[in-house]
Amino acid sequence: MAADVQATTLGLDHRKLAMWTFLGSEFLFFGAFVSAYLLYITTTAGGPGVEIFDIPFTSISSFVLLMSSLTMVLAHNAHAHGDLRRMRLWILATAGQGAVFLGGQVYEFTTFYNEGLNMTQSPFASSFFVLTGFHGLHVFVGILMLLSLYALSLTGKVKANQDVKTEMIGLYWHFVDIIWVVIFTVVYLIPEIAVL
Amino acid sequence: MSTSSETKPLRPAQETGLLSWLGTTDHKRIGVMYFFTTLVFFALGGAESGLLRAQLAQAEQNLLTEEIYNQVFTMHGITMVFLVIMPLSAAFFNYLIPLMIGARDVAFPRLNAFSYWVYLFGGIFLYSSFLLGGAPNGSWVGYAPLASDSVSNMGFYAIGLQILGISSLAAAVNFIVTILNMRAPGMTFMRMPVFVWMALVTNFLLLFAIPVIAVALFMLQFDTLFGAQFFQPGSGGDPILYQHLFWLFGHPEVYIMILPAMGIVSEILPVASKKPLFGYAAVVFAGAAIGFIGFGVWAHHMFTSAIGPVARSAFALSTMFIAVPTGIKIFNWVFTMWGGKLKFTTPMLFSIGFVSMFTIGGLSGVTHAIVPHNAQQHDTYYVVAHFHYVLFGGALFGLIAGIYFWFPKVTGKMMSEKLGKLHFWTWLLGFNLTFGPMHMSGLLGQPRRTAVLPGELGSTVELYNLLSTAGVVVLTGSALVFLYNLLHSIKRGEESGLDPWDARTLEWLTASPPKHHNFDKIPTVTHRDEFWHRKYAEDESGMPISVPAGASEDHDGEDDPDEHIHMPDNSLWPFIMCIAFLPFGYGLVFLNPWLFGLGVLWMVVGYFGWIVEPLAEGDDDDVPDDVHDRPTVGATTH
């Protein structure tokens, strides 16, 4: 890596700079969806509204997702020390926690659907499902990247000195977590407190 | 570059033939492909405008049915904005940015190829709608809930624009990293050519505007295809939300289209005036200011929507305010020409055309900022006149100036000046004949997006419309002159030599056309207008005098042929992966899970093909043995 870093004008690896740039764009993507949700938070067209949220359940799945950021850091740390075996272990742990979170989201969506909230019912329902659904899609893509990192480190395509690859996926993963912190607070917690 | 002959090449390495183009990662070739693709779409968009003008040549005409008229004007708008002006700017970005900053390629060559192929397939996808049940018919703004109505074909719009957005977003990330991270030694920010500055601002605008329209289009798509309720007033949905999201993208989009042309003109005027650009820092600052303020003026498109008096006042103010940095630029261009030794070459004529026509469009734009005035002219031909003066008289004039100016760089030949001047004067005449009268017919009340010109508007409006249609005939002839000039000059143009314009910036430091690796030796930059300073010194009074000893050590650079230059390998994966956007898009439009699944699967396979693809030169993170001999700047990532 050393050679590459010195080669760039800003001293930052191209790929890292690109990932930061891309994540800047992603913030506006979620920002627009969150704005639409806030606009429609009471527009329920007679159907269920924010009272349908199960805060304890979502808190647990949120906790799992947040903890996956810790294992992601540990994975990168292991890779930075050239320890691919432990890196793979933490990568699997991260992907596993992501999968638990996604499973929670599928369960949550199913429950809401059974309780009478579906996407075509009201602007509130549309904006809730599409916002959290796109976040779920981001988690899914993250899991796909983690698993491919895992597989490629086995085949030798990802080498012990290439921790920038783990770091890049880490940047994306942390972003997805941070966005969830915002979504959990704005979409679930604040309206719930306001309603109570 | 240097695949060893004994081992089997790991990546495609053709240098000629179809595969060499399908697999190219060379920014110059990609730029050329962008250019020719925009020519095809420009012809299509132009033909559509011909149909529109034929229909409106006289009152109460019915050459086209209303449905066809709606499809044609929608596709004309989408084509010119997303398939002509934006990608034509991208052609210049591709070709020029690495050359102007002294790099050998962009930061991510395969991603660059990906951007092009997504654009091409996105365009094909949009145009295939004509054969598959009708083209989008709800205007390029796609206002909901009209766009999600059952009689609309806006599914193709929502998904087609989404695909083109992916192309622009990938290109934006690529160019931002390239400009920030791959400048030659000594190329500080304030020594960058203005075109590169404007490219940087434009790509930041794209970076932050594309996700907003992505959200608007996703919502529209969910409404249209899956029955979501975002913009359905029946269940409490708010159509104004769509307008906000669209114009929060749509207004920065206006600057995305004009800033590259401003950059081009800021390069040409100093060269043709033999003077440095007047107030370089002010021009750069004004460009950046336009970028920032451009995100705070969007609601002036919605003054007649229900947004309230406070919002109207605030956006009226910010809209007038954004005219200030634009005015700064116009004065700087005028002062650049002031007292210069002007040479009225074709690129210079088009640049002056840009400054004057854009000023007219800018002034009519300021009238929109005045809310009562705006209410009067909203959705009339006055607005059509205004935005054609900024996008045609502005952006397109600037881009055409760029074509004439950099043609010798790309081909090593000159375009005919005689035909170029004929093109310019007929183009200027045809343009003003087409769009000038629209100011009048609009103020007299002619509504836009109306298939039949109502007879009761009177004979004055009818005359103006006839003039506009006559203008299109002139423009068509003029475009044919340009096309002939272009194609003829590519084959039989005069040799241009290395520096036909007495230019100022780094791209003229190397051969024309440039070699695959651009520069034999990466130049070290010590001045703004580096190339000029290598050619000229100043005498005591500040007048430029030629440096006799030729341009510079690395001018025609055959030195050190053994130097190891690491160039990106070709790759077919971007092309293969992008084909997936067709089944993916059709699957969404026609709600066919099999096609959609095929598209997703194809994309995933392409993604893995891409990341496991070997590099002919070994992995990019391996520290090679000869690292100390390699040029360290301009190295690219794969």
Side-chain angles (χ1 to χ4, degrees):
Chain A
M1 272 327 297
D4 261 5
V5 168
Q6 280 154 14
T8 67
T9 314
L10 299 183
L12 191 67
D13 188 272
H14 287 335
R15 290 163 290 182
K16 250 196 268 185
L17 185 59
M19 184 54 91
W20 279 111
T21 314
F22 171 68
L23 294 181
S25 177
E26 287 276 69
F27 272 104
L28 274 105
F29 183 80
F30 282 102
F33 269 125
V34 170
S35 312
Y37 173 83
L38 288 175
L39 178 69
Y40 288 147
I41 196 159
T42 55
T43 316
T44 55
V50 290
E51 71 283 351
I52 201 169
F53 296 144
D54 182 355
I55 298 294
F57 176 81
T58 315
S59 303
I60 293 168
S61 68
S62 305
F63 180 75
V64 172
L65 190 65
L66 285 188
M67 284 302 107
S68 73
S69 263
L70 176 64
T71 52
M72 189 69 235
V73 171
L74 291 171
H76 177 238
N77 188 45
H79 200 164
H81 288 98
D83 187 349
L84 277 186
R85 203 182 57 82
R86 277 182 49 204
M87 178 278 256
R88 282 196 283 267
L89 184 71
W90 291 122
I91 286 296
L92 274 193
T94 311
Q97 289 173 96
V100 169
F101 173 83
L102 272 189
Q105 200 169 29
V106 170
Y107 172 79
E108 188 186 38
F109 278 18
T110 319
T111 315
F112 290 169
Y113 185 81
N114 290 335
E115 289 175 15
L117 187 72
N118 66 70
M119 194 185 74
T120 59
Q121 187 185 46
S122 65
F124 165 76
S126 300
S127 52
F128 170 77
F129 280 115
V130 175
L131 164 60
T132 51
F134 268 109
H135 181 266
L137 184 66
H138 277 76
V139 176
F140 180 76
V141 170
I143 293 174
L144 191 70
M145 293 200 298
L146 287 168
L147 292 181
S148 40
L149 181 69
Y150 175 84
L152 293 174
S153 77
L154 287 175
T155 63
K157 178 77 184 173
V158 173
K159 302 188 184 69
N161 64 347
Q162 296 175 328
D163 64 304
V164 69
K165 292 184 176 170
T166 306
E167 193 180 354
M168 293 258 295
I169 294 174
L171 281 175
Y172 175 84
W173 192 261
H174 296 317
F175 163 79
V176 171
D177 271 12
I178 288 167
I179 286 297
W180 184 254
V181 172
V182 174
I183 293 177
F184 183 57
T185 314
V186 175
V187 172
Y188 290 81
L189 285 182
I190 293 177
E192 191 76 5
I193 292 162
V195 165
L196 289 175
Chain B
M1 277 298 282
S2 58
T3 310
S4 74
S5 50
E6 295 97 69
T7 55
K8 188 168 151 281
L10 296 162
R11 296 258 291 251
Q14 290 86 351
E15 279 170 26
T16 51
L18 182 66
L19 274 184
S20 74
W21 288 93
L22 293 183
T24 190
T25 50
D26 179 355
H27 71 97
K28 298 181 289 299
R29 282 186 163 211
I30 294 172
V32 170
M33 290 199 290
Y34 261 111
F35 174 71
F36 281 105
T37 315
T38 58
L39 279 192
V40 173
F41 283 119
F42 184 68
L44 288 169
E48 283 153 3
S49 69
L51 288 176
L52 300 178
R53 284 317 319 168
Q55 165 92 345
L56 295 176
Q58 286 182 322
E60 308 291 349
Q61 267 206 127
N62 283 300
L63 296 174
L64 309 171
T65 65
E66 270 135 1
E67 173 57 28
I68 297 294
Y69 184 90
N70 289 346
Q71 294 182 14
V72 169
F73 85 72
T74 303
M75 286 304 284
H76 169 71
I78 294 174
T79 305
M80 290 308 189
V81 171
F82 294 99
L83 302 176
V84 176
I85 301 282
M86 285 172 74
L88 190 51
S89 305
F92 283 101
F93 292 164
N94 260 297
Y95 205 97
L96 293 175
I97 288 175
L99 284 166
M100 280 184 161
I101 61 173
R104 293 210 158 102
D105 208 315
V106 294
F108 303 100
R110 284 189 295 177
L111 189 66
N112 199 21
F114 171 84
S115 293
Y116 169 73
W117 295 113
V118 179
Y119 153 61
L120 178 67
F121 287 115
I124 292 173
F125 174 79
L126 268 171
Y127 264 88
S128 70
S129 63
F130 275 114
L131 305 172
L132 298 168
N137 53 0
S139 146
W140 86 283
V141 298
Y143 272 14
L146 174 67
S148 48
D149 198 86
S150 60
V151 295
S152 86
N153 307 326
M154 296 302 272
F156 271 102
Y157 167 86
I159 292 152
L161 259 53
Q162 202 73 273
I163 293 174
L164 295 174
I166 292 170
S167 163
S168 298
L169 188 60
V173 170
N174 207 345
F175 290 133
I176 288 171
V177 174
T178 304
I179 294 172
L180 291 182
N181 232 3
M182 292 178 71
R183 283 166 285 145
M187 176 69 82
T188 58
F189 277 115
M190 292 315 266
R191 284 180 192 158
M192 290 198 312
V194 177
F195 176 75
V196 177
W197 258 111
M198 293 306 113
L200 184 65
V201 174
T202 304
N203 282 298
F204 267 107
L205 287 176
L206 278 168
L207 186 76
F208 294 131
I210 293 286
V212 181
I213 194 175
V215 168
L217 293 171
F218 274 130
M219 291 176 172
L220 189 61
Q221 179 188 337
F222 275 81
D223 270 16
T224 313
L225 302 172
F226 308 121
Q229 300 292 315
F230 284 106
F231 309 122
Q232 307 306 321
S235 58
D238 188 357
I240 305 282
L241 175 66
Y242 180 84
Q243 299 183 12
H244 277 298
L245 290 174
F246 182 84
W247 288 114
L248 189 46
F249 152 81
H251 203 81
E253 169 72 14
V254 171
Y255 297 107
I256 288 165
M257 289 189 275
I258 195 70
L259 283 173
M262 289 178 164
I264 288 171
V265 168
S266 306
E267 296 301 328
I268 295 174
L269 286 176
V271 170
S273 311
K274 242 179 186 291
K275 273 176 68 189
L277 183 69
F278 183 90
Y280 170 92
V283 173
V284 167
F285 170 78
I290 288 175
F292 277 104
I293 308 171
F295 273 100
V297 298
W298 78 87
H300 67 221
H301 296 270
M302 302 158 54
F303 279 160
T304 55
S305 303
I307 58 171
V310 177
R312 285 194 188 101
S313 315
F315 281 101
L317 275 176
S318 64
T319 304
M320 290 180 202
F321 195 61
I322 202 169
V324 175
T326 316
I328 291 175
K329 277 176 177 271
I330 290 172
F331 281 113
N332 277 300
W333 291 324
V334 172
F335 291 141
T336 302
M337 288 185 274
W338 187 268
K341 287 185 193 150
L342 302 192
K343 269 196 205 150
F344 291 100
T345 56
T346 311
M348 178 61 163
L349 289 176
F350 271 98
S351 300
I352 298 172
F354 166 92
V355 176
S356 31
M357 294 303 108
F358 177 75
T359 305
I360 298 176
L363 289 175
S364 63
V366 176
T367 67
H368 299 319
I370 303 157
V371 178
H373 205 291
N374 184 295
Q376 191 66 33
Q377 66 217 22
H378 186 84
D379 259 347
T380 68
Y381 263 81
Y382 185 84
V383 177
V384 179
H386 157 70
F387 69 70
H388 280 94
Y389 266 83
V390 284
L391 292 183
F392 189 137
L396 198 58
F397 268 66
L399 291 165
I400 293 176
I403 294 172
Y404 280 98
F405 187 70
W406 281 293
F407 185 85
K409 183 78 253 170
V410 179
T411 60
K413 293 171 181 160
M414 299 296 286
M415 281 175 85
S416 154
E417 275 291 305
K418 223 165 127 192
L419 288 176
K421 281 174 182 153
L422 177 66
H423 174 212
F424 171 73
W425 289 110
T426 48
W427 199 246
L428 188 72
L429 171 77
F431 165 73
N432 281 296
L433 194 56
T434 308
F435 299 106
M438 289 184 186
H439 288 110
M440 305 307 296
S441 57
L443 287 178
L444 288 168
Q446 184 183 347
R448 62 192 281 220
R449 298 179 184 133
T450 304
V452 178
L453 174 62
E456 64 260 31
L457 279 173
S459 55
T460 338
V461 174
E462 238 182 302
L463 173 67
Y464 290 137
N465 277 278
L466 191 62
L467 286 176
S468 287
T469 306
V472 172
V473 177
V474 178
L475 281 176
T476 310
S478 182
L480 291 177
V481 172
F482 167 70
L483 193 66
Y484 172 78
N485 191 0
L486 183 81
L487 299 178
H488 188 262
S489 304
I490 289 175
K491 273 198 174 154
R492 296 204 184 78
E494 269 176 64
E495 293 296 318
S496 68
L498 287 175
D499 185 18
W501 311 114
D502 198 6
R504 314 179 72 88
T505 38
L506 276 188
E507 76 273 22
W508 299 99
L509 198 60
T510 183
S512 299
K515 295 171 198 169
H516 180 46
H517 54 275
N518 291 356
F519 300 97
D520 288 330
K521 195 172 169 202
I522 297 295
T524 300
V525 179
T526 51
H527 291 86
R528 184 183 301 158
D529 290 337
E530 172 70 16
F531 185 44
W532 175 270
H533 284 278
R534 291 184 185 204
K535 292 187 291 188
Y536 295 95
E538 284 181 357
D539 64 14
E540 303 82 40
S541 62
M543 293 303 286
I545 46 170
S546 296
V547 177
S552 78
E553 66 204 270
D554 41 15
H555 190 270
D556 46 7
E558 286 301 324
D559 56 339
D560 197 7
D562 299 329
E563 189 189 15
H564 181 97
I565 296 173
H566 181 58
M567 288 304 291
D569 306 303
N570 281 2
S571 170
L572 287 168
W573 284 107
F575 171 71
I576 294 170
M577 185 174 170
C578 290
I579 297 174
F581 281 99
L582 290 177
F584 180 79
Y586 292 129
L588 278 173
V589 169
F590 298 113
L591 293 179
N592 182 329
W594 295 105
L595 270 179
F596 177 74
L598 175 70
V600 172
L601 193 69
W602 196 323
M603 234 175 268
V604 173
V605 170
Y607 160 77
F608 277 102
W610 184 319
I611 53 179
V612 303
E613 186 170 43
L615 304 167
E617 295 236 354
D619 210 319
D620 40 329
D621 287 313
D622 287 341
V623 180
D625 306 331
D626 61 341
V627 65
H628 300 296
D629 307 330
R630 283 186 178 192
T632 47
V633 174
T636 51
T637 308
H638 298 268

